[in-house]
Amino acid sequence: MTVKNVTKVVVVGGGTAGWMAAASLSKLIGPNIDVCVVESDEIGTVGVGEATIPTMMTLHQLLKIDEREFMAAVQGTFKLGINFENWNKIGDSYMHAFGRTGQDCWAGGFQHFWSRGKQLGISEEYGRYSASYVAAKAGKFAALSDQSLSYAFHMNATLYAKFLRKMAEQHGCERIEGKITQVDCHSENGYIRSVTLESGRTIEGDLFVDCSGFRGLLIDETLDTEYEDWSNWLPCDSAVAVQTESVGEPIPYTRAIARDAGWQWRIPLQSRVGNGMVFCSKFLSDDEAIETLLNNVEGEPLTKPRIIKFRTGQRKQHWNKNCIALGLASGFVEPLESTSIHLIQRGIIRLLQMFPHEGVRQPDVVEFNRQMSDEFVFVRDFIVMHYHLTQRDDTPFWRHCQSMPIPDGLRHRLDLFKQTGRVFQEAGDVFAENNWVQVMLGQGLMPEQYHPIVDSMSDAELNHFLKGLTGNVDQMVNQLPSHQEFISNYCSTNSM
Ligand SMILES: Cc1cc2nc3c(=O)[nH]c(=O)nc-3n(C[C@H](O)[C@H](O)[C@H](O)COP(=O)(O)OP(=O)(O)OC[C@H]3O[C@@H](n4cnc5c(N)ncnc54)[C@H](O)[C@@H]3O)c2cc1C
C-alpha cells in the first residue's frame, strides 16, 4: 500500500471521459471525497464520439439520469444498430442490429435454425428475424417498457459533456479552467503529487484520473506508461470529421459505408448530421480524404472538415501508480462499432468498485488492468473481423486488409464458427453470440454445419417456426410510431 486515504481526486481533462468520470465519482461516492476537473478551453476536446451502444444505459441508470431529459439535452436520436454498406462486396449491405435475432435454444443460437432453413431455401435474410433490424429499416422506433427493442443513442458529444458537467457540479465537483504546464511527482515512489497550471496555480491530489485525450498527459508524458500498438491489425490511423445540415428525418441507425481506403460514418442527430471518414494514411492523403468525405455528405457542411490522427492500441497499464487513464488517454480502437464510450464507462464502474479509499493496493491495480485489457482486446478482435472478412479486392487498401495477419483469438473464433456455427461469449466480451454472428454472416462467413438438435424438427415444423418469428417481428414493428414521431413526443430538443 503506497498512498493513504484517498480523499482528493483530480480529473485531468473535460471531454466525454473527464465529465463521465467526474459526474460518476461525485454523485456516487462524492460525500467521501473531493473531486475536481481541470480542463483547458484553449486545448479543447476531440469533439467526436456521437454513436453509442446499449450498455451506456448501465451508467445512466446508476446516475439516475432521466432518458428524456438527457436526449433533449444532447439533441439525441435513437440507434437500433449499424448498417454496414460495401464492406463485404461493393453494393452489399448488412446490419449489426442490437438485441436478439430469432430465438435461441439451449444448444446454441438462432443461427443453427437459420442455417438449416437456408439449406432448405425457407430462411429469409438473417436480419428479418430481428425486431431492431426491421424497425430500423422501416424508420420506426419506441422505447418500450418491456425492453423488447434494444437500443442506444446518437448524441452531440459536446452537449453530453455539458450535461454531465452540470450533474457533477451539482454534486460538489469543482471545475478548474486552465492549461496544465507542469506535473510533479513524489520523489520516493514516483506517484503524482500535483499539476500546475499556466497561471501558476498548483492542484494537489491523492488520485489522478487522466482524461487528457490522445496525449495522455499523466499516464504517458509523466509516467511513461508503455503503449501496445495494434496498427498491424487495424491499419486506419486518421479520420476527418464534418457536421452537416439534416436533409430529412433522422434514421434510427448509424451508417458505416466502406470507401476505397477506409469507411465513412453518418450519425443523425435531431438538428444536424455527424459525418466522418476513418482512413489509412498509407493509402489516402488528408486532402483526398476530405474530398471523398465532402463528395459523400448529403446536407450543407456546418463546420470545416477536421483531421484527427490516432494510433490504435491500448496502454499496457490503464492504472499506473496513483493514475488511472480513461478515454483516449487509455487507448483507442477505431470507432467502427462505437465502443469507446462503452470502454470509458467500464473503466469508471471498475474504478468505483475498486476505489482505493484506503490507499492504492497493487492487487487492485493488477486486477483493474487485467480486466480493462481483456475488454479492449475483445473489442479490437471484433473490429479486426470486419476488415479481415472482406471479399473486396478492388483497391490496394482492401487487398491489404485481406492479407493482414489477425490475432490468434480471432482466428480461433472464425474457424470455430465456419466449421460448426458455434460462438461463445467469453467473460469480458461486450459482444454476445448474436453480435458476432450478425457480422460474420454479414461479411459472408457461412457456417458449414449447424447443431444437430435442429434436425429434431421436421422441415414443416422449422418452416412454421421461422414464419412465426417473422410474423411476431412484423406485428411488433407495425405498432411502432415513426422514429421522428417518437422523438417529437418523447424528447424533442425544441420542447426544452
Ligand atoms: C474519429 C473518431 C470518432 C469517434 N467516434 C466515436 C463514436 O462514435 N462512439 C464512441 O463511443 N466513441 C467515439 N470516439 C471516441 C470518443 O470521441 C472518445 O472516447 C471520447 O470523446 C472521449 O475523449 P476524451 O475525453 O478521452 O478526450 P478529449 O475529448 O480529447 O478531451 C481531452 C481533455 O483534456 C484536456 N486537456 C488536454 N491537455 C490538457 C492540459 N495540458 N491542460 C488542461 N487540460 C488539458 C482538454 O482540454 C480536454 O478537455 C471517436 C473518436 C475518434 C477519434
Side-chain angles (χ1 to χ4, degrees), residues 1 14 25 72 80 95 105 139 145 157 184 186 205 223 229 233 278 294 301 337 347 362 368 385 390 411 463-464:
M1 197 195 298
L25 290 167
L80 290 165
M95 186 176 285
C105 83
S145 54
D184 285 307
H186 293 279
L223 298 178
D229 187 306
W233 289 314
V278 169
L294 292 180
E337 285 281 354
Q362 203 50 30
F368 185 96
M385 171 171 65
T390 186
R411 162 63 53 215
N463 194 24
H464 181 71

Side-chain angles (χ1 to χ4, degrees), residues 12-18 38-40 43-51 178-180 211-215 217 239 265 267 308 310 326-329 332 335 338-341 344:
V12 169
T16 307
V38 186
E39 67 173 319
S40 158
I43 294 175
T45 64
V46 70
V48 280
E50 306 198 313
K179 190 165 154 189
I180 297 168
C211 300
S212 63
F214 285 124
R215 63 185 302 191
L217 185 64
W265 76 79
I267 301 176
I308 303 161
F310 56 82
L326 294 174
L328 300 172
F332 183 58
S338 325
T339 41
S340 292
I341 294 171
I344 297 172

Side-chain angles (χ1 to χ4, degrees), residues 389-408:
L389 288 180
T390 186
Q391 290 181 43
R392 283 186 63 163
D393 57 4
D394 54 305
T395 67
F397 172 77
W398 289 107
R399 285 195 288 278
H400 170 77
C401 291
Q402 277 196 356
S403 62
M404 257 177 352
I406 61 168
D408 291 343

Side-chain angles (χ1 to χ4, degrees), residues 245-305:
E245 282 176 357
S246 305
V247 292
E249 292 188 354
I251 50 173
Y253 58 90
T254 305
R255 288 179 68 190
I257 310 155
R259 299 274 174 225
D260 287 354
W263 62 277
Q264 180 188 345
W265 76 79
R266 277 200 201 158
I267 301 176
L269 301 186
Q270 286 186 36
S271 53
R272 63 161 171 85
V273 178
N275 307 270
M277 197 170 79
V278 169
F279 62 98
C280 177
S281 63
K282 278 198 198 120
F283 299 97
L284 200 72
S285 70
D286 292 355
D287 287 345
E288 287 168 328
I290 292 173
E291 196 188 331
T292 308
L293 179 62
L294 292 180
N295 285 339
N296 287 290
V297 292
E298 283 180 331
E300 281 301 307
L302 298 169
T303 54
K304 282 213 166 94

Side-chain angles (χ1 to χ4, degrees), residues 114-115 118 417-419 440-442 444-449:
W114 180 83
S115 294
K118 195 166 161 57
F417 182 71
K418 185 164 188 294
Q419 290 178 35
M440 288 177 185
L441 292 179
L445 186 70
M446 291 297 153
E448 289 160 4
Q449 274 183 4

